[in-house]
Amino acid sequence: MKVKTILVSQPEPKVENSPYFDLIERQKVKIDFVPFIHVESVPGKEVRNQKIDLNDYTAIILTSRNAVDHYFRIADELRYKVPDSMKYFCQSEAVAYYLQKYVVYRKRKIYVGKRTFTELSPIIKKYKGEKFLLPSTDKLKEEVPNVLNELKVSWKQAILYRTVVSDLSNLRDVFYDILVFFSPSGIESLLQNFPDFDQKETRIAVFGNTTVKAAADSDLRVDIKAPTPDTPSMTMALEKYIRENNKK
């Protein structure tokens, strides 16, 4: 079956030059964006119950823009003034760039990884004397605590927001040629919303090994995987599949 429609389980990109828009133009496909999950704030009272005192930490590990937003939200809620001496360890350039929403970039100590958390670890290792706080969701990738424990640094997780399944009931009678997932939570949302989901001819595209595993554990057939050496991004993987499949 030719690919004509795609559902991406994330919010629509806000930038005009998103590769998804290029994909729509080049391959003449329809792409809808619907977040299958969303985040909800953990209030300050619950953060205190985690026995976390923001004053105790000299460095912050930021793995996503959500982590940035919720760290500064909770700091404001708890009336904690983040000191100028705070060190920020950002998983990627995108996270570091987003940090500028809250701090004057050139006046802060900001350390940036490449893309994955493992790639950030050599930088963290150089600062073993720091006390690290890890703002995160309640669903933390296993890679993160494993890496930090291997480094034998002083660190603590602060659950500042929760990943929650979105209501997708308006999609019950809507069908797509490809469903695109970026996390196990997206797979979980699909099956919670549609426990009777029957894949049939629907192609499933997944990003990352943990998402591949979640799909397999749920007996879903994975047709498109990223990243790979040939297709490091999801849009590249989709385009390759569409190009090859629609020729048939």
Side-chain angles (χ1 to χ4, degrees), residues 186-204:
I187 301 288
E188 179 187 345
S189 176
L190 172 71
L191 298 177
Q192 277 196 32
N193 276 279
F194 310 111
D196 55 348
F197 175 75
D198 186 354
Q199 185 173 353
K200 295 182 180 177
E201 298 300 321
T202 302
R203 273 62 59 90
I204 287 182

Side-chain angles (χ1 to χ4, degrees), residues 214-242:
D217 290 346
S218 301
D219 295 324
L220 296 175
R221 183 188 71 253
V222 173
D223 302 281
I224 305 162
K225 297 179 185 178
T228 68
D230 291 336
T231 57
S233 71
M234 177 54 76
T235 50
M236 292 174 70
L238 288 170
E239 182 149 30
K240 180 182 179 184
Y241 181 87
I242 294 167

Side-chain angles (χ1 to χ4, degrees), residues 2-211:
K2 288 189 175 182
V3 175
K4 297 179 181 177
T5 59
I6 301 171
L7 178 61
V8 176
S9 60
Q10 285 189 331
E12 183 171 345
K14 294 180 180 178
V15 293
E16 292 181 2
N17 61 346
S18 167
Y20 283 104
F21 301 142
D22 293 336
L23 179 61
I24 292 170
E25 183 66 27
R26 284 196 298 269
Q27 298 301 325
K28 309 303 178 189
V29 292
K30 179 178 184 288
I31 301 181
D32 290 336
F33 299 88
V34 178
F36 276 37
I37 57 175
H38 62 278
V39 298
E40 293 181 354
S41 301
V42 171
K45 183 178 179 181
E46 288 188 34
V47 175
R48 288 194 189 96
N49 290 340
Q50 296 176 44
K51 294 183 169 55
I52 290 169
D53 182 347
L54 298 181
N55 290 288
D56 291 343
Y57 303 94
T58 59
I60 308 296
I61 299 172
L62 299 167
T63 58
S64 68
R65 288 181 292 184
N66 276 327
V68 175
D69 282 335
H70 287 278
Y71 172 71
F72 286 96
R73 172 190 62 80
I74 210 68
D76 185 59
E77 195 173 324
L78 299 180
R79 297 179 181 175
Y80 168 71
K81 187 179 186 306
V82 182
D84 293 348
S85 60
M86 183 65 72
K87 295 181 176 68
Y88 301 93
F89 292 79
C90 302
Q91 181 169 318
S92 66
E93 286 187 6
V95 175
Y97 181 78
Y98 188 74
L99 186 58
Q100 294 182 82
K101 180 178 176 181
Y102 298 95
V103 302
V104 180
Y105 200 89
R106 59 187 173 79
K107 292 185 177 181
R108 298 294 182 268
K109 297 176 180 178
I110 300 171
Y111 309 92
V112 186
K114 293 180 180 178
R115 186 174 58 86
T116 68
F117 192 79
T118 300
E119 290 170 327
L120 178 63
S121 63
I123 302 173
I124 294 175
K125 188 176 181 179
K126 293 178 181 178
Y127 295 88
K128 279 194 167 185
E130 304 295 335
K131 293 192 71 177
F132 293 92
L133 183 69
L134 176 73
S136 78
T137 176
D138 56 329
K139 295 181 179 178
L140 185 63
K141 291 182 180 178
E142 290 183 8
E143 174 194 15
V144 177
N146 289 344
V147 167
L148 291 172
N149 289 334
E150 285 175 9
L151 292 175
K152 297 181 179 178
V153 295
S154 174
W155 73 280
K156 186 173 178 66
Q157 178 185 5
I159 298 174
L160 304 187
Y161 54 103
R162 296 189 181 91
T163 303
V164 181
V165 168
S166 300
D167 178 6
L168 305 175
S169 55
N170 60 325
L171 294 177
R172 177 163 294 281
D173 298 317
V174 183
F175 301 93
Y176 291 88
D177 297 319
I178 299 178
L179 302 180
V180 183
F181 297 96
F182 293 86
S183 71
S185 297
I187 301 288
E188 179 187 345
S189 176
L190 172 71
L191 298 177
Q192 277 196 32
N193 276 279
F194 310 111
D196 55 348
F197 175 75
D198 186 354
Q199 185 173 353
K200 295 182 180 177
E201 298 300 321
T202 302
R203 273 62 59 90
I204 287 182
V206 298
F207 191 91
N209 292 332
T210 57
T211 316

